[in-house]
Amino acid sequence: MPLTPLQHDHRYGEMDQVLRAYAGQPADDTEEKPSEALTAYLRLTWHTRPWAIGVAESQLREYARHPPGPLRLRLGEVYPLPDPGLDGPLIQPWLLTVAGHLRRCLAEGDMPPPGPPRTRWEWQARFPELGQLLGGWFSQDFGEEFEDHEQALRDYLEGTERSLVARLCGEVHELLALRLDEADYAYGLAQLGLEVDPPVPYTHGAWLRAIAEDTLRG
């Protein structure tokens, strides 16, 4: 019987989140050291949804101990999970290694301290509404749809529900509070979907501050 989305989330939902953190990152966890991808997952999740780490650890162990066979996958009884880029025989011990790091972090309270995102997944997971704005209104089609940056931002503000605009404003202020240098702001906004330069004469950081002011004015 095909697995419903609710059943998938109940059994594998948080494991799915862990594996998505490895997109574009090597699954090079060792017994001694977690990977950059797992560190990014822990850094974000510990400060936003700490309860989910224990759920992820349990789901990873269960999946590693009872991996679904090809028939169950074909029948839809288990959804295909994100591919960590490992050969089949290596996946089970790797899942247990990741689960071990999650358990130790919870047991010892040794979590990554707050800090700027380090991976594309972390940027997008931490600043989802800013990513929606940049990827949807300031992508490569920007010049075909809008006359300038101000018109694009106005289109977003007028067509987006006010609670989401408020969320965007909070995310921009959170990003500015990190006090990154200009190169890091440029890198981060590119990870969030920005494909055009800021309007002249703004730097990336100054443009973020202008966006924050515009969202407050509505």
Side-chain angles (χ1 to χ4, degrees):
M1 181 177 179
L3 196 67
T4 67
L6 181 61
Q7 290 171 323
H8 169 80
D9 287 349
H10 178 71
R11 296 181 191 177
Y12 309 115
E14 196 58 32
M15 173 182 167
D16 190 286
Q17 290 299 309
V18 174
L19 297 186
R20 289 185 188 282
Y22 285 83
Q25 298 289 321
D28 55 359
D29 307 84
T30 65
E31 292 290 342
E32 295 75 27
K33 184 179 179 180
S35 64
E36 186 74 38
L38 185 58
T39 300
Y41 168 83
L42 285 167
R43 181 167 42 242
L44 178 65
T45 308
W46 177 246
H47 296 284
T48 56
R49 302 181 301 122
W51 53 267
I53 297 174
V55 175
E57 189 264 343
S58 176
Q59 291 180 356
L60 284 161
R61 288 191 187 280
E62 179 64 21
Y63 194 92
R65 289 169 178 160
H66 305 286
L71 178 59
R72 292 183 65 197
L73 287 169
R74 249 192 340 266
L75 293 175
E77 293 182 3
V78 178
Y79 288 174
L81 291 167
D83 183 3
L86 297 173
D87 292 334
L90 299 176
I91 291 179
Q92 185 177 20
W94 172 73
L95 290 173
L96 292 173
T97 296
V98 173
H101 281 300
L102 297 181
R103 176 172 290 185
R104 280 190 294 275
C105 286
L106 286 173
E108 300 169 10
D110 184 19
M111 296 290 177
R118 297 286 298 275
T119 69
R120 183 179 184 86
W121 173 88
E122 191 178 3
W123 277 102
Q124 294 179 346
R126 184 166 174 179
F127 301 109
E129 192 58 30
L130 181 55
Q132 180 71 14
L133 169 65
L134 297 177
W137 277 261
F138 296 96
S139 64
Q140 59 185 353
D141 296 327
F142 163 78
E144 299 176 6
E145 299 182 24
F146 306 106
E147 293 182 1
D148 53 28
H149 295 68
E150 183 178 355
Q151 185 187 53
L153 181 59
R154 183 57 48 194
D155 184 77
Y156 166 84
L157 293 174
E158 292 176 353
T160 302
E161 208 275 328
R162 293 306 302 167
S163 64
L164 294 177
V165 174
R167 185 176 300 171
L168 168 72
C169 186
E171 289 179 9
V172 172
H173 279 97
E174 180 182 347
L175 179 51
L176 289 170
L178 295 176
R179 298 184 181 277
L180 305 179
D181 60 32
E182 274 305 312
D184 287 334
Y185 277 129
Y187 173 79
L189 297 190
Q191 297 301 300
L192 290 169
L194 179 66
E195 295 181 330
V196 299
D197 291 329
V200 178
Y202 290 102
T203 63
H204 288 81
W207 186 43
L208 280 172
R209 286 186 283 275
I211 289 174
E213 293 172 0
D214 285 343
T215 56
L216 286 174
R217 287 197 297 265

